[in-house]
């Protein structure tokens, strides 16, 4: 178990797809002292893949190597748990590979196991390639579904995007656009508002402010362009307010992110995937973080992909990956502080 009295949280960092920029991003993160000082990191992957990444990134690493879970847990410093699961010569940079997908999946599963048993306070991973993951595991849908299955999780969890203090949550995610309207219900919106509120609190927001986006153009124009805003979204917002959640809307989706960017809101809850993703990536593609929240520990990764076209060239931007580590560390530290406060109150009572 992690020591709740320790000031520095422990994160598991899974090396993502070896055919893209994940190895060099991982190496670059580990060579950055500003990151290794905010968390003790247990890196999970093949030492040969990490060595390749260090070469591409032009950095030198001198990490302790653990060959077992117990060795990795016993280390008091950042350490690599060598999975010995991929010879880089077995894959080609810039090309989707079943072997690459299998190694990334195995690294992710090991990181989840660390968090499941409380060995780490949070999980990070450098980008996966979903097509490669599906070659290795045909049932793979996305990271939220995989986490849910691995943990036998029955609660509410979702994917968030975070950029410069602006958060994006969504009611529906990886579904066809044609199915969105039929999936949006008052209860689902309310569940996501509660989850968003709780995630923001876990990230240190004292009084989260959430804007809710409309589904239809011009927020339905009083029912002329659809009634979802009147019949479904607005009632969910009112019930959330009655529960003490700071939220407002529905607002037209073509202007709601301007409000958040200008500081009126901390988060925007959108109705479908690209309604938020397009806005967030336009505001800062190389800085955004994807957070998987609701599982009891933060799971963070860069919001961008594997960038096959620049793999191995040493030009990958570390911005989003740095932010992913920092967000996970901040949320883990906040959770630790809450744990210590609860323990102190219990001791007094």
């Amino acid at each position: 178990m992690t020591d709740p009295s320790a000031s520095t949280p422990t994160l598991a960092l899974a090396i993502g797809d070896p055919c893209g920029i994940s190895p060099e991003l991982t190496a670059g993160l580990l060579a950055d002292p500003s990151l290794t000082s905010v968390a003790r990191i247990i890196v999970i992957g093949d030492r040969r893949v990490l060595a390749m990444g260090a070469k591409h990134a032009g950095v030198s690493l001198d990490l302790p190597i653990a060959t077992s879970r117990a060795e990795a847990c016993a280390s008091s410093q950042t350490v690599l748990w060598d999975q010995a699961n991929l010879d880089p010569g077995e894959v080609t940079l810039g090309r989707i590979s079943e072997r690459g997908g299998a190694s990334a999946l195995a690294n992710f599963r090991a990181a989840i196991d660390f968090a499941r048993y409380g060995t780490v306070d949070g999980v990070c991973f450098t980008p996966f390639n979903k097509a490669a993951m599906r070659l290795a595991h045909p049932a793979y849908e996305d990271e939220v579904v995989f986490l849910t299955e691995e943990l036998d999780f029955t609660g509410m969890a979702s994917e968030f995007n975070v950029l410069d203090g602006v958060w994006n949550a969504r009611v529906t995610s990886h579904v066809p656009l044609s199915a969105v309207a039929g999936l949006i219900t008052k209860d689902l919106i309310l569940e996501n508002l509660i989850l968003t509120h709780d995630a923001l609190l876990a990230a240190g927001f004292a009084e989260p402010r959430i804007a809710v986006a409309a589904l239809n153009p011009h927020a339905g124009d009083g029912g002329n362009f659809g009634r979802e805003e009147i019949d479904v979204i607005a009632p969910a917002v009112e019930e959330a307010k009655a529960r003490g959640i700071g939220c407002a809307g529905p607002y037209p989706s073509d202007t709601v992110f301007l409000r958040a960017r200008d500081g009126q809101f901390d988060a925007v809850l959108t109705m479908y995937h690209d309604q938020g993703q397009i806005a967030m990536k336009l505001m800062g593609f190389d800085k955004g973080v994807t957070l998987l929240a609701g599982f009891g520990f933060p799971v963070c990764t860069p919001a961008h992909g594997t960038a096959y076209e620049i793999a191995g060239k040493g030009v990958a931007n570390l911005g989003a990956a740095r932010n992913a580590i920092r967000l996970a560390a901040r949320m883990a530290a906040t959770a630790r502080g809450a744990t210590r406060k609860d323990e102190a109150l219990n001791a007094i009572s």
Side-chain angles (χ1 to χ4, degrees):
M1 298 287 289
T2 57
D3 177 5
S5 67
S7 59
T8 304
T10 299
L11 304 177
L13 173 59
I15 300 176
D17 190 282
C19 302
I21 60 174
S22 286
E24 60 196 87
L25 286 178
T26 306
L29 293 173
L30 297 171
D32 185 342
S34 73
L35 297 178
T36 53
S37 65
V38 300
R40 181 176 78 94
I41 299 174
I42 299 177
V43 192
I44 301 173
D46 193 298
R47 72 169 79 188
R48 296 166 294 182
V49 173
L50 184 60
M52 176 184 72
K55 180 179 179 181
H56 293 159
V59 299
S60 177
L61 297 177
D62 184 21
L63 292 182
I65 306 294
T67 57
S68 70
R69 184 190 305 274
E71 280 186 43
C73 293
S75 176
S76 61
Q77 56 187 311
T78 291
V79 62
L80 168 67
W81 180 21
D82 183 16
Q83 301 296 290
N85 59 10
L86 183 71
D87 179 346
E90 298 175 2
V91 298
T92 302
L93 289 177
R95 293 187 183 177
I96 293 173
S97 162
E98 179 181 350
R99 288 285 295 116
S103 71
L105 196 64
N107 297 343
F108 190 33
R109 183 178 280 118
I112 294 168
D113 281 343
F114 268 127
R116 182 206 310 263
Y117 299 116
T119 311
V120 300
D121 303 296
V123 170
C124 293
F125 59 91
T126 44
F128 295 150
N129 183 286
K130 287 184 175 61
M133 304 284 258
R134 291 190 187 104
L135 287 176
H137 179 51
Y140 192 87
E141 184 174 330
D142 59 27
E143 288 75 36
V144 171
V145 173
F146 186 74
L147 276 158
T148 298
E149 294 171 349
E150 285 292 302
L151 297 169
D152 293 323
F153 183 74
T154 58
M156 182 68 186
S158 188
E159 181 177 306
F160 296 80
N161 285 100
V162 182
L163 173 69
D164 290 341
V166 176
W167 288 47
N168 172 220
R170 51 189 183 250
V171 177
T172 66
S173 188
H174 297 124
V175 298
L177 189 57
S178 60
V180 168
L183 293 172
I184 293 174
T185 65
K186 175 186 171 183
D187 287 345
L188 188 58
I189 294 170
L190 182 61
E191 288 175 354
N192 277 280
L193 281 169
I194 293 170
L195 178 61
T196 302
H197 175 79
D198 290 347
L200 287 164
L201 287 175
F205 289 85
E207 297 181 0
R209 302 164 301 162
I210 307 167
V212 180
L215 172 67
N216 297 299
H218 303 294
D221 189 35
N224 290 321
F225 303 149
R227 291 194 55 86
E228 284 84 1
E229 288 74 20
I230 298 169
D231 298 336
V232 182
I233 303 175
V237 170
E238 291 307 309
E239 184 165 339
K241 287 180 181 178
R243 296 189 183 203
I245 294 174
C247 59
Y251 294 113
S253 60
D254 59 353
T255 57
V256 68
F257 279 93
L258 297 176
R259 291 172 175 256
R261 185 198 63 184
D262 293 342
Q264 296 179 37
F265 296 99
D266 305 305
V268 178
L269 176 66
T270 52
M271 296 298 114
Y272 58 93
H273 184 278
D274 284 1
Q275 191 179 37
Q277 287 283 81
I278 292 171
M280 294 293 282
K281 291 187 176 182
L282 278 172
M283 287 193 291
F285 182 76
D286 290 328
K287 297 184 292 182
V289 174
T290 295
L291 164 70
L292 313 180
F295 295 104
F297 54 88
V299 182
C300 295
T301 188
H304 60 68
T306 46
Y308 278 179
E309 69 279 4
I310 60 170
K313 297 181 180 179
V315 297
N317 190 316
L318 274 173
R322 285 195 185 100
N323 290 340
I325 295 287
R326 289 175 179 140
L327 177 60
R330 185 167 73 249
M331 294 184 73
T334 299
R336 281 184 163 215
T339 299
R340 289 195 293 271
K341 181 178 179 180
D342 289 343
E343 289 175 345
L345 290 173
N346 289 335
I348 293 171
S349 61

